[in-house]
Amino acid sequence: MEVIKTEGLTKYYGKVTGVRDLNLSIHSGEIFGFLGPNGAGKTTTMRLLVGLLRPSAGKAYVLGKDSWSKRVEIARDTGYLPGETRLYARLTGIEHINFVAGFGHADRSFALKLASRFELDLNRRTEEYSRGMKQQLALILALMKRPRILIMDEPTSGLDPLMQYLLYEILNDFRDNGTTIMLSSHNLPEVERVCNRVGIIKDGSLVAVESIEDLRNKRIRNIEVTFENGIPPQLETIAGIIEIEMSANRARIKTSGNLNPLIALLSKHRISDLSISHASLEDVFIEFYEKGRDEPYV
Amino acid sequence: MNPMFNWNIAKKTIKDKWKSTLYYITGVCSYMLMLSAIFPSFKKMKGIEELIESYPKEILKLFGASEINIADFNNYVTIEFLGLIAIVIIGAYVFSFTRGIISGELKEGTLEILLSQPVERWKVISTQVLVMLAGIISIVVSIVLSTFVFGAIFKLSVSFLGFAAYIPVAFSLFFCIGGYTLLLTSVLPKHGTMAAIGLTLVFYMVKFATDVAEPIHRLRFISIFNFYDPAKVLKTGTPPATDVLVLIAVGAVCYFVATIQFERMNVAP
């Protein structure tokens, strides 16, 4: 069942394009990652979905309802985390929770449990909060409705690794309870960790929608290896290598897909140094989406 | 439950504003205390009436006085307070309050959190406007009550009916100012408040100019201050129904258009 759907969704800010002709479909119970560099249109799409922005053209539907004209009905079933955490500076954490609970459709005691999991002090004014604490409170405000849909713009922004891990756990709990989650990020490993499917947006247009499995197969890694006894000649013949740069005993390799053949070859030689890093999202765009999807990349 | 009212937003607005409202009330009451305390000595000053009479009539009109008799406490309060100072003080309250309703929340980015809750946008406005109107009434009533109290303490001849009649007149003026300020902040979130302050000054100057310059006297109706004459109200003891209705109608239209504008507004801090 489709719970979020857009049809030719377009938003212009004057002459600037926010998103253009976006066709998206997110199904019940999935965690959908919305990937793209800064300014790609992720935040605009999310604001359109929760009825904060009015589409210039096209339509967005959440739970089958028009996101602009039925925004209040949608808000009852949707938790929204804005991209930039802005809270009422003079209110304390608990006053924020009481305020959101006061609109109904939210569970105050659940919010307190979440605050306890985040170990967040609710008795301080938010002007005294660190960036991470503000993000935690904003997350609690979005989650406390126990919504059917969660729309979260960069949810791990400002969180330390421990809190990020806790958030992933919480999101998995929500998904297990049937919540559909759409989250944006510009961090590929994060999206791989929690999402089922990914939409990639660039310059306001959706360039691809992939399952995580497909994305993993396409994943680019940068490997730098230093051999003790020279570079083996078979290295260049390994499948999946996109680019290789060799100097003396050191090889810089850009590869995608299955790493096992490369590892098997490396295991047969003495190595003095090895580093593997994930390519940046920009590299993924350049390799897969700017060259054109049908173009072979090996 | 009043369908125009969201109690949750009202509670938060009251929490945000009660202190500043109290400061304004304290300020206007203190000012009335000062005026009332000074008036007996002022009245006894020799030559004060001649001095006032020596001023050009136009200057007195600038302070809202239609009569020169400053020996009358009601006329004195008009010149020293209701004609100009009260407009500045309560006007500042209205500008500051109205600024927070749309442009302040938009600037702070908190509007995104507020509007992602299940509440109609028009109710966000109507609730805060109702709280602001309650604040305006509190300040105006405080002026009137403090006049009665200090008038009794200093044995002054206060026009009770006149001051009671002043309440709807002042309320309608600030209702109107709040209306066009909200409208301007909904259309120009960044500069709306400054535009409203400028417009109010223009209205005041137009009223003054059309009062003193016969050739443009007919243009007086374009100023909202044409419908605000505290000296006349204190003298007659009757609120001019037409003036009050005109101000309420102009304000109501502005609130309505501002609400429609807010309903259609893109919220992107």
Side-chain angles (χ1 to χ4, degrees), chain A residues 192 211-221 255-258 288 297:
Chain A
E192 279 188 343
S211 71
I212 284 296
E213 205 55 42
D214 289 345
L215 199 70
R216 275 200 187 114
N217 290 336
K218 287 179 177 176
R219 172 166 218 179
I220 298 171
R221 294 173 182 86
T255 180
S256 76
N258 189 357
F288 297 114
Y297 49 83

Side-chain angles (χ1 to χ4, degrees), chain B residues 144-212:
Chain B
V144 172
L145 290 180
S146 61
T147 310
F148 292 165
V149 170
F150 301 132
I153 291 171
F154 295 101
K155 299 185 172 56
L156 308 170
S157 56
V158 175
S159 164
F160 288 94
L161 268 180
F163 274 93
Y166 174 71
I167 293 173
V169 174
F171 172 77
S172 59
L173 176 75
F174 295 109
F175 176 85
C176 182
I177 292 175
Y180 65 70
T181 307
L182 190 69
L183 176 57
L184 286 168
T185 55
S186 69
V187 178
L188 308 163
K190 283 185 184 163
H191 309 291
T193 308
M194 287 314 293
I197 292 170
L199 182 63
T200 308
L201 275 172
V202 168
F203 279 147
Y204 199 83
M205 292 307 155
V206 166
K207 156 78 169 142
F208 172 63
T210 53
D211 269 357
V212 300

Side-chain angles (χ1 to χ4, degrees), chain A residues 11 47 51-54 68 71-72 75-76 80 82 86-88 91 95 99-100 102-103 105 145, chain B residues 8-9 12 15 105 107-110 112-119 121 263-269:
Chain A
K11 180 67 190 173
R47 283 179 177 156
L52 291 171
L53 296 177
R54 188 181 193 190
W68 177 253
R71 59 193 173 214
V72 176
R76 289 186 190 121
Y80 172 61
R86 308 254 190 98
L87 300 161
Y88 293 102
L91 294 191
E95 285 169 337
F99 182 54
V100 170
F103 290 104
H105 311 278
K145 287 184 196 170
Chain B
N8 196 38
I9 296 175
K12 187 189 156 296
K15 182 178 162 48
E105 291 246 18
K107 192 179 166 194
E108 299 296 321
T110 47
E112 215 171 350
I113 285 186
L114 179 58
L115 295 184
S116 62
Q117 306 308 322
V119 59
R121 288 188 181 192
E263 282 280 341
R264 299 163 54 89
M265 181 189 272
N266 285 312
V267 175

Side-chain angles (χ1 to χ4, degrees), chain A residues 42-44 46-47 80-85 135 151-157 182-185, chain B residues 112:
Chain A
K42 304 186 295 286
T43 300
T44 297
M46 292 188 157
R47 283 179 177 156
Y80 172 61
L81 176 80
E84 284 176 53
T85 309
Q135 184 71 359
I151 295 176
M152 311 177 99
D153 196 354
E154 312 250 354
T156 53
S157 167
M182 179 186 191
L183 61 88
S184 76
S185 178
Chain B
E112 215 171 350

